[in-house]
């Protein structure tokens, strides 16, 4: 109900900063401060309530809060949506808690292969990389593709050559391995190939008591960020290690513009997490944008329609975060939980794992 | 105007096989024969009228006709949309006239790296491969991904491993090289790296008088096929060598579901050709589908809106072919020409390079 009221208010005069509340914070709008909003996710793979210890939940929330706080500070001082998306996702990539950058899942043959994408809603410019193994922060490479190439999507060794040539930080493959992901891989892998095991054993994996004690069943931990900056520009970014045990240089939805990542100042910015194939075949992010642009849906109605109606038809699995051109934030998931956080110009940071 | 009338007729009773004409053939519907439709393209890179000799134009048209005729015969005997898409695209991949399979353009470092995708509009299942170098018919590998994998998109050597393991025909890299593309590459390449030149020189390139005499400036030659079979199911497929001189394992729109390839029984099937990045950033194929589903546009209105209105906003470049769930065919391009052909259950094959 709330989003209908919000939509009416916004239609009536959001650009004049009326006294309507935004669904994203419930607080009153400040007519003197430009609005901005940010939402982030750390994957829709959270297990049923009670699966994590209090200490683990606190660790997830602290990291989500740290990333969101940085986003808030940057947005407050007028940084652009794309700059914020990159800086925030870097924090999540650097954390071994999530399946992106350090802490990524391990492929069938013992490698770590990461995908990332970013899109600028003002220009529709975008950049994506897939199957990269040596780029410390894949989101920075995606940004470099967007800014410094006439192309959009680079794959595997080619993406790494482009990144290295353009000054993106490269790092030894060992850096990405954590003992937790190695333990998961050993239990779930469907190959006994000794060379794969030997390869993984050769990695200097991170040992961390909190992370090693995480449940082994967690599925997704893709990270993403959507932003409306104080100039009203939108951007979205997503970064992931993909699916554990993936084969054949499988590419998921994260680096597919329109599937896992999309931004358009006309409508919204979106980042998805879940079974990537479900988001690819439904072109999920662009569907939400088109429901807003072509059907006049509110952001909440459009994300709900995608995750709770359209996903039912294909037994789709996952969630998404979104921000619209008015700064409204929406998130939906059909999993047990989704690691997520948000704030806006009022600075109150909310972090959640399960239902609010 | 014609498509509005068509749409009204179809709304009124297309499923009862009324006497309404279809815009795709102008002939009378046969109330006893199930309808089907097929359209193909060989790229929107045709140069200005007069650039090709009469002999070259005839060669293009003959190959388009051969492929369309096979599609007609298969559809007549009840083959499925996906089977037809694969068989038809194989013919175009095997022809050195087009930039897909044999005859593909050469990358910056002298390689040939191909992308392909297929999508089934009934199930939304899809399969794509990118940056493959040894698969004789990339469209067959995309089909195998769709049918025999839980994933959708495989890249480079991984895609080749999957294909080889599943019995897809592999071939020596030399097979794909034509003297015409080597000559083009030599003139346009922006590198003097001797190892690249040596690599290309080591290939046993096809010598063909007609093809070697083709103009060197032609840009795109991606191939695609869209089909509605006699059961009313849609499918789309696209195959390409990408852009000449491309670097860093660049992936274009062809293997991106929603960008260059999309099919959905609810709306339409689409295959695109042009500057891939323009189709990726606009998620062009899904946009057309959503204009139909969410805005109620006809197929012609939706493809026109995409190629002649939305593409103007981003200076987009290229064209598309589409078939909707009623069997109507539409094609649009903003280039000088687009190699294309179509037919339906009446069997009259039309082939075009320039305006009709």
């Amino acid at each position: 109900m709330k989003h209908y009221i919000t939509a009416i208010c916004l239609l009536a005069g959001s650009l004049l900063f009326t006294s309507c509340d935004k669904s994203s914070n419930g607080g009153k709008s400040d007519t003197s401060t430009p609005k901005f909003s940010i939402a982030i996710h750390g994957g829709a793979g959270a297990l049923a309530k009670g699966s994590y210890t209090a200490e683990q939940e606190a660790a997830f929330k602290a990291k989500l809060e740290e990333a969101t706080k940085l986003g808030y500070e940057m947005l407050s001082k007028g940084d652009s949506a794309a700059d914020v998306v990159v800086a925030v996702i870097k924090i999540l990539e650097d954390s071994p808690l999530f399946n992106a950058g350090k802490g990524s899942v391990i492929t069938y043959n013992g490698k770590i292969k990461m995908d990332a994408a970013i899109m600028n809603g003002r220009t529709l410019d975008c950049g994506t990389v897939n199957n990269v193994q040596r780029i410390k922060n894949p989101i920075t490479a995606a940004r470099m593709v967007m800014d410094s190439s006439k192309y959009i999507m680079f794959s595997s060794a080619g993406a790494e050559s482009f990144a290295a040539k353009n000054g993106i930080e490269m790092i030894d493959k060992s850096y990405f391995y954590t003992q937790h992901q190695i333990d998961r891989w050993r239990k779930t892998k469907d190959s006994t190939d000794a060379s794969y095991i030997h390869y993984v054993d050769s990695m200097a994996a991170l040992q961390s008591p909190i992370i090693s004690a995480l449940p082994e069943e967690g599925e997704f931990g893709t990270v993403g960020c959507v932003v409306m900056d104080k100039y009203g520009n939108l951007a979205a970014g997503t970064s992931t290690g993909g699916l554990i045990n993936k084969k054949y240089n499988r590419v998921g939805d994260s680096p597919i513009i329109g599937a896992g990542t999309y931004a358009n100042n006309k409508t919204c910015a979106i980042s998805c997490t879940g079974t990537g194939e479900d988001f690819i075949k439904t072109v999920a992010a662009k569907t939400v944008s088109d429901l807003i642009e072509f059907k006049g849906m509110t952001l909440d109605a459009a994300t709900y329609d995608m995750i709770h109606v359209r996903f039912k038809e294909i037994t789709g699995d996952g969630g998404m975060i979104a921000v619209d051109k008015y700064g409204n934030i929406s998130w939906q998931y059909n999993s047990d939980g989704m690691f997520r956080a948000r704030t806006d110009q009022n600075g109150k940071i909310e972090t959640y794992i399960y239902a609010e």
Side-chain angles (χ1 to χ4, degrees), chain A residues 25-287:
Chain A
N25 61 24
K28 290 199 176 155
S29 293
D30 180 347
T31 55
S32 63
T33 313
K35 288 164 129 191
F36 58 77
S37 298
I38 176 171
I40 70 173
H41 72 76
L47 299 166
K49 218 165 182 165
S51 302
Y52 302 100
T53 65
E55 191 183 21
Q56 287 166 347
E57 287 198 6
F60 277 113
K61 289 192 167 187
K63 189 54 72 175
L64 293 170
E65 174 136 3
E66 176 192 341
T68 310
K69 189 159 178 279
L70 174 70
Y72 169 78
E73 288 164 357
M74 292 178 69
L75 288 165
S76 297
K77 67 184 176 70
D79 284 346
S80 75
D83 283 347
V84 172
V85 163
V86 172
V88 165
I89 288 183
K90 273 182 77 174
I91 290 184
L92 302 173
E93 286 177 338
D94 289 345
S95 166
L97 284 166
F98 305 102
N99 174 21
K102 189 175 190 69
S104 287
V105 297
I106 300 174
T107 70
Y108 176 77
N109 58 10
K111 306 285 171 66
I112 287 182
K113 298 191 175 186
M114 299 163 286
D115 306 336
I118 187 168
M119 185 161 188
N120 180 330
R122 183 175 63 78
T123 58
L124 301 185
D125 287 339
C126 37
T128 84
V129 294
N130 71 77
N131 283 291
V132 297
Q133 302 183 67
R134 302 185 301 125
I135 297 172
K136 181 161 185 262
N137 292 103
I139 192 69
T140 61
R143 172 73 187 272
M144 186 62 79
V145 178
M146 176 169 82
D147 289 349
S148 307
S149 165
K150 62 182 176 178
Y151 302 130
I152 288 175
M153 185 174 206
F154 290 147
S155 187
S156 55
E160 291 179 1
S161 298
F162 171 82
K165 205 167 181 173
N166 284 278
I168 295 291
E169 185 178 357
M170 310 300 283
I171 201 161
D172 187 83
K173 292 173 183 173
S174 262
Y175 163 79
F176 299 102
Y177 287 76
T178 59
Q179 194 57 51
H180 173 60
Q181 293 296 358
I182 291 176
D183 294 342
R184 291 187 64 204
W185 178 73
R186 278 189 202 285
K187 293 208 176 152
T188 57
K189 76 187 166 49
D190 51 7
S191 162
T192 52
D193 191 311
S195 71
Y196 301 163
I197 295 165
H198 179 74
Y199 181 83
V200 170
D201 284 343
S202 74
M203 296 293 155
L206 174 86
Q207 309 286 341
S208 155
I210 287 186
I211 291 163
S212 288
L214 283 172
E216 275 161 11
E217 302 76 24
E219 269 295 326
F220 319 113
T222 297
V223 305
C225 178
V226 293
V227 169
M228 182 187 81
D229 65 24
K230 60 163 64 168
Y231 318 106
N233 291 320
L234 304 181
T238 313
S239 181
T240 189
L243 293 178
I244 192 166
N245 249 318
K246 67 184 179 181
K247 278 183 179 177
Y248 305 125
N249 292 333
R250 172 259 190 190
V251 181
D253 64 315
S254 303
I256 305 294
I257 298 301
T261 306
Y262 185 72
N264 188 332
N265 272 11
K266 274 190 196 168
T267 54
C268 60
I270 297 181
S271 171
C272 304
T273 165
T275 302
E277 284 68 17
D278 300 335
F279 290 86
I280 293 175
K281 67 202 283 189
T282 55
V283 199
K286 182 59 156 73
T287 299

